[in-house]
Amino acid sequence: RPRVLSGIQPTADSFHLGNYLGAVRQWVALQDTHDAFYFIADLHAITVEHDPKLLRKRTRVSAAQLLALGLDPARTTLFVQSQVPEHAELGWVMQCLTGFGEAGRMTQFKDKSAKQGGMVSVGLFTYPILQAADILVYRPEFVPVGEDQRQHLELTRDLAQRFNTRFGKTFPLPEPYILKDTAKIYDLQEPQAKMSKSASSPGGIVELLDDPKVSAKKIRSAVTDAEREIRFDPEAKPGVSNLLGIYSALTGRTVDDLVNAYDGKGYGDLKKDLAEAVADFAGPVRDTVKSYMDDPAELDKILASGAQRAREVAAATLARVYDRVGFLK
Ligand code: TYM
């Protein structure tokens, strides 16, 4: 079975709809047909200032959400990045293959460092290189992510190619796996910007673990436009188109079908129905997360066994890499 690999940062109390529709939903679908490796990127989470207690909690809540959303640890290797030291070890080798200017061109770094109030860490600068190592250490064929990760995937492919050229063919070039319709879910308050844990105002993100009343209120207050017509036109009507896209993804109904069904109805109707769809979807997820968090020992056990499985693969790749760059056995 072809291998897939992806990760998510534990930097919020809850995943949002962008994380789910853009990435995690594909993770769940791919585990049936692929050899799947998914992890919580806690090493990446410390590239900005953080609270250790909160990080520990968010790492567990992230794992609990992935399980609640349908990852099956019997079929899928689910683990925490820091429990597999080979990521950081390969990361160093990859740093030594990356140009300073090349790293400086990463747009997420430019955005995040510009917004950063205090110190900008070197770790934030080398973040994409660690991400390349995260991926390459498993030698996957596909990496299911949202559109915002595309540039990091390109860097990953460049580094893999460079390593192969210098030291002999070692890495297959991983392909981004990005579904067009859900590649970018937008902020409800600012429908030109992506929904984002760090950048969005709280009103603009729908969090899976929010109270349904809170989500309903956010959806009700979503920015639309001065027209009244429900139609899909991301250029002219980014707000309404985003709501239609989310609703379509959650219910499996096509956008065309929805546009027909809402012919003659108002934005309020669409928002009300979307809020209901979100509540129906998120309710069971919230319950399952709660039961995992009530007994984190079970969760920690799943993660420990995932890390063990991940290390077998990662250690084999790292040994090959170390040998090829000329380190002693
Ligand atoms: P992170 O934690 O920001 O996001 C996790 C996943 O959610 C996707 N995503 C979105 N998709 C559509 N619309 C949105 N508004 C939206 N917001 C987020 C992201 O594209 C991502 O797939 N650098 C990564 C974590 C990472 C990683 C890796 C991913 C570390 N190492 C190796 C893949 C492979 C990140 O910060 O994702």
Side-chain angles (χ1 to χ4, degrees):
R1 293 194 301 167
R3 183 170 291 156
V4 290
L5 169 287
S6 198
I8 187 162
Q9 288 199 77
T11 43
D13 292 327
S14 169
F15 296 165
H16 55 65
L17 279 179
N19 299 134
Y20 176 64
L21 297 175
V24 176
R25 200 161 71 129
Q26 282 67 260
W27 300 11
V28 175
L30 287 166
Q31 70 182 341
D32 294 329
T33 46
H34 289 67
D35 180 24
F37 287 73
Y38 302 124
F39 68 94
I40 321 291
D42 58 346
L43 296 177
H44 281 110
I46 68 166
T47 55
V48 293
E49 218 176 292
H50 77 286
D51 170 351
K53 255 218 221 99
L54 206 52
L55 176 60
R56 198 166 287 126
K57 177 168 166 245
R58 287 172 166 178
T59 298
R60 290 200 177 102
V61 170
S62 299
Q65 285 174 96
L66 292 175
L67 293 165
L69 289 166
L71 290 191
D72 171 8
R75 286 181 291 160
T76 286
T77 305
L78 172 64
F79 62 98
V80 174
Q81 186 185 28
S82 62
Q83 295 185 335
V84 182
E86 286 79 5
H87 289 234
E89 291 170 319
L90 182 62
W92 176 254
V93 176
M94 289 298 153
Q95 284 191 51
C96 298
L97 285 177
T98 310
F100 203 84
E102 190 176 27
R105 283 194 291 276
M106 295 293 113
T107 57
Q108 280 212 346
F109 170 73
K110 289 196 263 187
D111 291 349
K112 283 193 192 172
S113 58
K115 279 193 204 106
Q116 195 79 3
M119 178 196 74
V120 174
S121 75
V122 174
L124 191 65
F125 185 65
T126 58
Y127 178 121
I129 310 172
L130 176 60
Q131 179 164 349
D134 293 337
I135 297 168
L136 296 176
V137 84
Y138 297 97
R139 310 173 72 252
E141 284 179 52
F142 300 104
V143 184
V145 287
E147 180 61 38
D148 61 349
Q149 297 301 314
R150 193 184 285 282
Q151 195 189 28
H152 291 167
L153 264 290
E154 277 161 19
L155 175 70
T156 304
R157 289 168 61 88
D158 289 346
L159 293 178
Q161 182 70 65
R162 196 169 304 158
F163 188 97
N164 289 347
T165 305
R166 282 209 203 157
F167 304 110
K169 174 113 185 64
T170 306
F171 298 113
L173 303 192
E175 296 278 351
Y177 181 93
I178 301 174
L179 294 192
K180 192 170 141 283
D181 289 342
T182 49
K184 194 164 174 187
I185 303 296
Y186 296 86
D187 185 301
L188 298 188
Q189 284 299 314
E190 211 186 319
Q192 263 97 355
K194 73 167 178 181
M195 191 178 283
S196 159
K197 291 179 270 216
S198 47
S200 298
S201 69
I205 37 178
V206 178
E207 303 202 313
L208 298 183
L209 302 180
D210 262 348
D211 189 282
K213 287 202 197 86
V214 173
S215 298
K217 181 152 184 266
K218 289 179 180 178
I219 292 166
R220 236 179 9 250
S221 322
V223 167
T224 49
D225 52 62
E227 295 181 7
R228 334 190 56 171
E229 197 193 354
I230 296 181
R231 104 190 121 75
F232 190 76
D233 182 348
E235 290 278 309
K237 300 167 74 72
V240 172
S241 302
N242 188 38
L243 297 177
L244 282 169
I246 294 171
Y247 194 26
S248 161
L250 276 181
T251 57
R253 292 171 69 183
T254 65
V255 168
D256 282 347
D257 178 28
L258 292 174
V259 168
N260 285 332
Y262 283 91
D263 186 30
K265 294 191 184 171
Y267 294 165
D269 301 307
L270 173 63
K271 287 174 167 180
K272 184 169 153 290
D273 295 347
L274 174 59
E276 234 164 75
V278 168
D280 289 348
F281 173 75
V285 174
R286 232 180 10 255
D287 294 345
T288 309
V289 166
K290 192 171 173 316
S291 71
Y292 275 117
M293 294 306 284
D294 287 343
D295 179 16
E298 165 72 16
L299 204 55
D300 291 357
K301 219 164 69 193
I302 292 172
L303 294 172
S305 101
Q308 203 175 10
R309 245 157 58 195
R311 281 200 80 174
E312 284 172 24
V313 175
T317 307
L318 190 73
R320 213 141 110 193
V321 166
Y322 270 22
D323 182 52
R324 295 209 159 156
V325 300
F327 295 159
L328 296 182
K329 275 226 168 64

